[in-house]
Coordinates of all heavy atoms in Angstrom, one line a residue:
H559 N 3.3 -9.2 -12.9 CA 3.5 -10.3 -13.8 C 4.9 -10.1 -14.4 O 5.1 -9.7 -15.5 CB 2.5 -10.2 -15.0 CG 2.4 -11.5 -15.8 ND1 1.7 -12.6 -15.5 CD2 3.0 -11.8 -17.0 CE1 1.8 -13.5 -16.4 NE2 2.7 -13.1 -17.3
D560 N 5.8 -10.5 -13.5 CA 7.3 -10.3 -13.9 C 8.0 -11.6 -14.1 O 9.2 -11.6 -14.2 CB 7.9 -9.5 -12.7 CG 8.0 -10.3 -11.4 OD1 7.4 -11.4 -11.3 OD2 8.5 -9.7 -10.4
G561 N 7.3 -12.7 -14.2 CA 7.9 -14.0 -14.5 C 8.3 -14.7 -13.2 O 8.4 -16.0 -13.2
E562 N 8.5 -14.0 -12.1 CA 8.8 -14.6 -10.8 C 7.6 -14.6 -9.9 O 7.4 -15.5 -9.1 CB 10.0 -13.9 -10.2 CG 10.4 -14.4 -8.8 CD 11.4 -13.6 -8.1 OE1 11.9 -12.6 -8.7 OE2 11.7 -13.9 -6.9
N563 N 6.8 -13.6 -10.0 CA 5.7 -13.4 -9.0 C 4.3 -13.3 -9.7 O 3.5 -12.6 -9.3 CB 5.9 -12.1 -8.2 CG 7.2 -12.2 -7.4 OD1 7.4 -13.0 -6.5 ND2 8.2 -11.4 -7.8
D564 N 4.2 -14.0 -10.8 CA 2.9 -14.0 -11.6 C 1.8 -14.4 -10.7 O 1.9 -15.3 -9.8 CB 3.0 -14.9 -12.8 CG 4.1 -14.5 -13.8 OD1 4.7 -13.4 -13.6 OD2 4.3 -15.2 -14.8
S565 N 0.6 -13.8 -10.8 CA -0.6 -14.1 -10.0 C -1.4 -15.3 -10.6 O -1.5 -15.3 -11.9 CB -1.5 -12.9 -9.9 OG -2.7 -13.2 -9.3
V566 N -1.9 -16.1 -9.8 CA -2.8 -17.2 -10.2 C -4.1 -16.7 -10.8 O -4.8 -17.4 -11.5 CB -3.0 -18.2 -9.0 CG1 -4.0 -17.5 -8.0 CG2 -3.6 -19.5 -9.5
A567 N -4.3 -15.4 -10.6 CA -5.5 -14.8 -11.2 C -5.4 -14.5 -12.7 O -6.3 -14.3 -13.4 CB -5.8 -13.4 -10.5
T568 N -4.1 -14.6 -13.2 CA -3.9 -14.3 -14.6 C -4.1 -15.5 -15.5 O -3.9 -16.7 -15.1 CB -2.5 -13.8 -14.9 OG1 -1.5 -14.8 -14.4 CG2 -2.2 -12.5 -14.1
D569 N -4.6 -15.3 -16.7 CA -4.7 -16.4 -17.7 C -4.8 -15.8 -19.1 O -4.4 -14.6 -19.2 CB -6.0 -17.2 -17.4 CG -7.3 -16.4 -17.4 OD1 -7.3 -15.3 -18.0 OD2 -8.2 -16.8 -16.7
D570 N -5.2 -16.5 -20.1 CA -5.1 -16.0 -21.4 C -6.1 -15.0 -21.8 O -6.2 -14.4 -22.9 CB -5.1 -17.1 -22.5 CG -6.3 -18.0 -22.4 OD1 -7.3 -17.7 -21.6 OD2 -6.4 -19.0 -23.1
T571 N -7.1 -14.7 -20.8 CA -8.0 -13.6 -21.0 C -7.5 -12.3 -20.6 O -8.1 -11.2 -20.8 CB -9.3 -13.9 -20.3 OG1 -9.1 -13.8 -18.9 CG2 -9.9 -15.2 -20.7
C572 N -6.3 -12.3 -19.9 CA -5.7 -11.0 -19.4 C -4.8 -10.5 -20.5 O -4.3 -11.2 -21.4 CB -4.9 -11.3 -18.2 SG -5.8 -12.0 -16.7
K573 N -4.6 -9.2 -20.4 CA -3.7 -8.5 -21.4 C -2.3 -8.4 -20.7 O -2.2 -7.7 -19.7 CB -4.2 -7.1 -21.8 CG -3.4 -6.4 -22.8 CD -4.0 -5.1 -23.2 CE -3.2 -4.4 -24.3 NZ -3.8 -3.1 -24.7
I574 N -1.3 -9.0 -21.2 CA 0.0 -9.0 -20.6 C 0.7 -7.7 -21.1 O 0.8 -7.5 -22.3 CB 0.8 -10.2 -20.9 CG1 0.0 -11.5 -20.5 CG2 2.2 -10.2 -20.2 CD1 -0.4 -11.5 -19.1
Q575 N 1.3 -7.0 -20.2 CA 2.1 -5.8 -20.5 C 3.5 -6.0 -20.1 O 3.9 -5.7 -19.0 CB 1.5 -4.5 -19.8 CG 0.1 -4.1 -20.3 CD 0.1 -3.4 -21.6 OE1 1.2 -3.3 -22.3 NE2 -1.0 -2.9 -22.0
P576 N 4.4 -6.6 -21.0 CA 5.7 -7.0 -20.6 C 6.6 -5.8 -20.0 O 7.3 -6.0 -19.1 CB 6.3 -7.5 -21.9 CG 5.2 -7.9 -22.7 CD 4.1 -6.9 -22.4
T577 N 6.5 -4.6 -20.6 CA 7.3 -3.5 -20.2 C 6.9 -2.9 -18.8 O 7.6 -2.2 -18.2 CB 7.4 -2.4 -21.2 OG1 6.1 -1.8 -21.4 CG2 7.9 -2.9 -22.5
W578 N 5.6 -3.3 -18.5 CA 5.1 -2.9 -17.1 C 5.5 -3.9 -16.1 O 5.3 -3.6 -14.9 CB 3.6 -2.7 -17.2 CG 3.0 -1.8 -18.1 CD1 3.6 -1.1 -19.1 CD2 1.6 -1.4 -18.2 NE1 2.7 -0.3 -19.8 CE2 1.4 -0.5 -19.3 CE3 0.5 -1.8 -17.5 CZ2 0.2 0.0 -19.6 CZ3 -0.8 -1.3 -17.8 CH2 -0.9 -0.4 -18.9
N579 N 5.8 -5.1 -16.5 CA 5.9 -6.3 -15.6 C 4.5 -6.5 -15.0 O 4.4 -6.8 -13.8 CB 7.0 -6.1 -14.5 CG 8.4 -6.2 -15.1 OD1 8.6 -6.9 -16.1 ND2 9.3 -5.5 -14.4
A580 N 3.5 -6.4 -15.8 CA 2.1 -6.5 -15.2 C 1.2 -7.2 -16.2 O 1.5 -7.4 -17.4 CB 1.6 -5.1 -15.0
A581 N 0.1 -7.7 -15.7 CA -1.0 -8.2 -16.4 C -2.2 -7.4 -16.1 O -2.4 -7.0 -14.9 CB -1.3 -9.7 -16.1
V582 N -3.1 -7.2 -17.1 CA -4.4 -6.4 -16.9 C -5.5 -7.4 -17.0 O -5.7 -8.1 -18.1 CB -4.5 -5.3 -17.9 CG1 -5.8 -4.6 -17.6 CG2 -3.3 -4.3 -17.8
C583 N -6.3 -7.6 -15.9 CA -7.3 -8.7 -15.9 C -8.6 -8.1 -15.5 O -8.7 -7.2 -14.6 CB -6.9 -9.8 -14.9 SG -5.4 -10.6 -15.2
A584 N -9.7 -8.5 -16.2 CA -11.0 -8.1 -15.9 C -11.6 -9.1 -14.9 O -11.0 -10.2 -14.6 CB -11.9 -8.0 -17.1
G585 N -12.8 -8.8 -14.3 CA -13.4 -9.7 -13.4 C -13.3 -9.2 -12.0 O -12.7 -8.2 -11.7
D586 N -13.8 -10.0 -11.1 CA -13.8 -9.7 -9.6 C -12.5 -10.3 -9.1 O -12.3 -11.5 -9.0 CB -15.0 -10.3 -8.9 CG -15.0 -10.0 -7.4 OD1 -14.3 -9.0 -7.0 OD2 -15.7 -10.7 -6.7
I587 N -11.5 -9.4 -8.8 CA -10.3 -9.8 -8.2 C -10.3 -9.5 -6.7 O -10.5 -8.4 -6.3 CB -9.1 -9.1 -8.8 CG1 -9.1 -9.3 -10.4 CG2 -7.8 -9.5 -8.2 CD1 -8.7 -10.6 -10.8
G588 N -10.0 -10.5 -5.9 CA -9.9 -10.3 -4.4 C -8.6 -10.9 -3.9 O -7.6 -11.1 -4.7
R589 N -8.6 -11.3 -2.7 CA -7.4 -11.8 -2.1 C -7.7 -13.1 -1.3 O -8.8 -13.3 -0.8 CB -6.8 -10.8 -1.1 CG -6.3 -9.5 -1.7 CD -5.5 -8.7 -0.7 NE -4.3 -9.3 -0.4 CZ -3.2 -9.4 -1.2 NH1 -3.2 -8.9 -2.4 NH2 -2.1 -10.0 -0.8
M590 N -6.8 -14.1 -1.4 CA -6.9 -15.3 -0.6 C -5.7 -15.4 0.3 O -4.6 -15.0 0.0 CB -7.1 -16.5 -1.5 CG -5.9 -16.8 -2.4 SD -6.3 -18.3 -3.4 CE -4.9 -18.3 -4.5
Q591 N -6.0 -16.0 1.4 CA -5.0 -16.2 2.5 C -5.0 -17.7 2.8 O -6.2 -18.3 3.0 CB -5.2 -15.4 3.7 CG -5.0 -13.9 3.5 CD -6.2 -13.2 3.0 OE1 -7.3 -13.7 3.2 NE2 -6.1 -12.1 2.3
F592 N -3.9 -18.3 3.0 CA -3.9 -19.7 3.5 C -3.7 -19.6 5.0 O -2.8 -20.2 5.6 CB -2.8 -20.4 2.7 CG -3.2 -20.7 1.3 CD1 -2.7 -19.8 0.3 CD2 -4.0 -21.7 1.0 CE1 -3.1 -20.0 -1.0 CE2 -4.4 -21.9 -0.3 CZ -4.0 -21.1 -1.3
S593 N -4.5 -18.9 5.6 CA -4.7 -18.7 7.0 C -6.0 -18.1 7.3 O -6.6 -17.4 6.4 CB -3.5 -17.8 7.6 OG -3.6 -16.5 7.0
I594 N -6.6 -18.2 8.4 CA -7.9 -17.6 8.7 C -7.6 -16.2 9.3 O -7.0 -16.0 10.3 CB -8.6 -18.4 9.7 CG1 -8.9 -19.8 9.2 CG2 -10.0 -17.8 10.0 CD1 -9.6 -19.9 7.9
R595 N -8.1 -15.2 8.6 CA -8.0 -13.8 9.1 C -9.2 -13.5 10.0 O -10.2 -14.2 10.0 CB -8.0 -12.8 7.9 CG -7.0 -13.2 6.8 CD -5.6 -13.1 7.4 NE -5.2 -11.7 7.6 CZ -4.6 -11.0 6.6 NH1 -4.4 -11.5 5.4 NH2 -4.2 -9.8 6.9
R596 N -9.1 -12.5 10.8 CA -10.2 -12.2 11.7 C -11.5 -11.7 11.0 O -11.4 -10.9 10.0 CB -9.8 -11.2 12.7 CG -9.6 -9.8 12.2 CD -9.3 -8.8 13.4 NE -9.2 -7.5 12.9 CZ -8.0 -6.9 12.8 NH1 -6.9 -7.5 13.1 NH2 -7.9 -5.6 12.4
P597 N -12.6 -12.2 11.4 CA -13.9 -11.7 10.8 C -14.2 -10.3 11.4 O -13.8 -10.0 12.5 CB -14.9 -12.8 11.2 CG -14.4 -13.3 12.5 CD -12.9 -13.3 12.4
G598 N -15.1 -9.6 10.8 CA -15.6 -8.4 11.3 C -14.7 -7.2 11.0 O -13.7 -7.3 10.3
P599 N -15.1 -6.0 11.5 CA -14.4 -4.8 11.1 C -13.0 -4.7 11.7 O -12.7 -5.3 12.7 CB -15.3 -3.7 11.7 CG -16.0 -4.3 12.8 CD -16.2 -5.7 12.4
T600 N -12.1 -4.0 11.0 CA -10.7 -3.8 11.5 C -10.8 -2.8 12.6 O -11.7 -2.0 12.7 CB -9.8 -3.3 10.4 OG1 -10.4 -2.2 9.8 CG2 -9.7 -4.4 9.3
R601 N -9.7 -2.8 13.4 CA -9.7 -1.8 14.5 C -8.2 -1.4 14.7 O -7.5 -2.0 15.5 CB -10.2 -2.4 15.8 CG -11.7 -2.4 15.9 CD -12.3 -1.0 16.0 NE -13.7 -1.0 16.0 CZ -14.5 -0.9 14.9 NH1 -13.9 -0.8 13.7 NH2 -15.8 -0.9 15.0
G602 N -7.8 -0.4 14.0 CA -6.4 0.1 14.1 C -6.2 1.5 14.6 O -5.1 1.9 15.0
A603 N -7.3 2.3 14.7 CA -7.1 3.7 14.9 C -6.5 4.0 16.2 O -5.7 4.9 16.3 CB -8.5 4.4 14.7
G604 N -7.0 3.4 17.3 CA -6.5 3.7 18.6 C -5.0 3.5 18.7 O -4.3 4.4 19.3
L605 N -4.5 2.4 18.3 CA -3.1 2.1 18.3 C -2.3 3.2 17.6 O -1.2 3.7 18.1 CB -2.8 0.7 17.8 CG -1.3 0.4 17.6 CD1 -0.6 0.3 19.0 CD2 -1.1 -0.9 16.9
A606 N -2.7 3.6 16.4 CA -2.0 4.5 15.6 C -1.9 5.9 16.2 O -1.1 6.7 15.7 CB -2.5 4.5 14.2
L607 N -2.7 6.2 17.1 CA -2.8 7.6 17.6 C -1.9 7.7 18.9 O -1.8 8.8 19.4 CB -4.2 8.0 17.9 CG -5.0 8.3 16.7 CD1 -6.5 8.3 17.1 CD2 -4.6 9.6 16.1
K608 N -1.5 6.6 19.5 CA -0.8 6.7 20.8 C 0.7 6.5 20.7 O 1.2 6.0 19.7 CB -1.4 5.5 21.7 CG -2.9 5.7 22.0 CD -3.3 4.5 22.8 CE -4.8 4.6 23.1 NZ -5.2 5.8 23.8
D609 N 1.4 7.1 21.7 CA 2.8 6.9 21.8 C 3.1 5.4 22.1 O 2.4 4.8 22.9 CB 3.4 7.7 22.9 CG 3.8 9.1 22.4 OD1 3.9 9.3 21.2 OD2 4.1 10.0 23.2
V610 N 4.2 4.9 21.6 CA 4.6 3.5 21.9 C 6.0 3.7 22.5 O 6.9 4.3 21.9 CB 4.7 2.7 20.6 CG1 5.2 1.3 21.0 CG2 3.3 2.6 20.0
A611 N 6.2 3.1 23.7 CA 7.5 3.2 24.4 C 8.6 2.5 23.6 O 8.4 1.4 23.2 CB 7.4 2.6 25.8

Side-chain angles (χ1 to χ4, degrees):
H559 191 84
D560 63 357
E562 179 187 356
N563 302 292
D564 298 355
S565 169
V566 72
T568 59
D569 55 28
D570 58 8
T571 67
C572 300
K573 184 177 181 180
I574 306 302
Q575 295 283 6
T577 64
W578 302 8
N579 289 332
V582 180
C583 302
D586 183 20
I587 305 288
R589 298 190 64 77
M590 63 179 168
Q591 294 83 25
F592 291 94
S593 60
I594 301 299
R595 310 296 288 270
R596 67 172 181 259
T600 57
R601 281 291 178 269
L605 172 65
L607 287 164
K608 297 180 181 298
D609 272 347
V610 178

